[in-house]
Structures are given as structure tokens and as C-alpha cells.
């Protein structure tokens, strides 16, 4: 490989983070399918693999020094969680208008989860920072 095409360690880390992130979602989606097919042990195994992949991705992100000041990172995540509530509610309205009742229902559930996450992060900021 020539110097012009060689990846830096930071670029390698970025690629790994993206790959591991995709794998987490893929394994968890496969686990949901396995659950719905009554394959409990398959689902449990796939979830376990997903958590390993999440650990890999988080370690790459940490080693690449992509996590700043903890308070600032929590504040960023809090803002994102709050925005996600509105985004999911908008998606819910669209899905409902299109007759996608299951999708609309899940978007509503996910919006409530995002609000709960925001409250948890706010609590961390108030208690520890």
C-alpha cells in the first residue's frame, strides 16, 4: 500500500466504529426476528454478540480520543435526546397519516424512551456536575 492510500489510525478507528455500530443494529434486529419466531436461545445469543460489538465500537471511540469532557458530552447527548422526542413524534404523525399504525405506535413508544433518557441525563447533570 502506498503512503497516499494508507489509512491513518484515526481513519481506521472511524471505519471500525461505523462497522461495529452497523453490526450492533443488525444483531439486535436479528434477535427481534428470532424472538418473534420463538427462538429464544438464538435471540439471547445474538443479543450477547451485539453487546460485544457495542463494546468494541465504544473502545475504538474511546481510544481514538473521541470523547471530550464528560459534562459536555452528557449535555450534547441531552440536547440530542430532547430533539429526538420531537423528531419521533413528527415521524409518528407521518406514519399515522400513511396508515402505518404499528410504525406510528413504535415511534410514540421510542419518543417516550427518548424523553426518559433526557430526564436521566438531566438528573446526572444536576447530581454530579
Amino acid at each position: 500500500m502506498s503512503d497516499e492510500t494508507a489509512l491513518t489510525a484515526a481513519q481506521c478507528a472511524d471505519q471500525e466504529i461505523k462497522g461495529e455500530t452497523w453490526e450492533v443494529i443488525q444483531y439486535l434486529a436479528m434477535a427481534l426476528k428470532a424472538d418473534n419466531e420463538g427462538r429464544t436461545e438464538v435471540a439471547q445469543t445474538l443479543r450477547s454478540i451485539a453487546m460485544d460489538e457495542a463494546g468494541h465500537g465504544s473502545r475504538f471511540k474511546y481510544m481514538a480520543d473521541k470523547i471530550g469532557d464528560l459534562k459536555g458530552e452528557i449535555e450534547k447527548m441531552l440536547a440530542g435526546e430532547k430533539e429526538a422526542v420531537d423528531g419521533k413524534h413528527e415521524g409518528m404523525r407521518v406514519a399515522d397519516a400513511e396508515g402505518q399504525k404499528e410504525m406510528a405506535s413504535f415511534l410514540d413508544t421510542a419518543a417516550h424512551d427518548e424523553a426518559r433518557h433526557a430526564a436521566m441525563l438531566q438528573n446526572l447533570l444536576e447530581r454530579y456536575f
Side-chain angles (χ1 to χ4, degrees):
M1 185 177 280
S2 71
D3 289 339
E4 292 177 16
T5 60
L7 294 175
T8 66
Q11 290 169 322
C12 288
D14 286 344
Q15 284 183 348
E16 292 298 329
I17 292 164
K18 287 176 188 169
E20 300 290 355
T21 301
W22 181 87
E23 288 177 333
V24 169
I25 294 166
Q26 182 69 17
Y27 280 120
L28 289 175
M30 291 166 61
L32 286 170
K33 184 171 181 68
D35 272 335
N36 286 329
E37 293 177 358
R39 300 169 193 247
T40 306
E41 188 174 342
V42 172
Q44 290 171 338
T45 300
L46 293 170
R47 278 192 197 86
S48 177
I49 294 169
M51 292 299 94
D52 287 348
E53 302 298 358
H56 298 160
S58 63
R59 185 68 180 226
F60 282 118
K61 190 159 188 144
Y62 180 78
M63 289 188 311
D65 200 28
K66 293 186 177 280
I67 299 295
D69 167 68
L70 192 54
K71 181 182 180 198
E73 293 288 346
I74 292 171
E75 290 169 338
K76 273 195 295 191
M77 297 306 292
L78 173 58
E81 296 287 352
K82 288 178 177 179
E83 286 179 30
V85 172
D86 294 336
K88 284 180 175 49
H89 278 144
E90 178 57 28
M92 177 189 71
R93 285 188 284 280
V94 170
D96 191 48
E98 293 178 0
Q100 301 273 341
K101 302 299 183 196
E102 186 177 6
M103 179 66 76
S105 177
F106 181 68
L107 282 161
D108 185 47
T109 298
H112 287 283
D113 288 342
E114 304 295 4
R116 182 174 45 83
H117 300 160
M120 293 164 72
L121 292 169
Q122 185 64 51
N123 185 38
L124 288 176
L125 289 169
E126 291 169 4
R127 290 182 64 199
Y128 298 105
F129 299 93

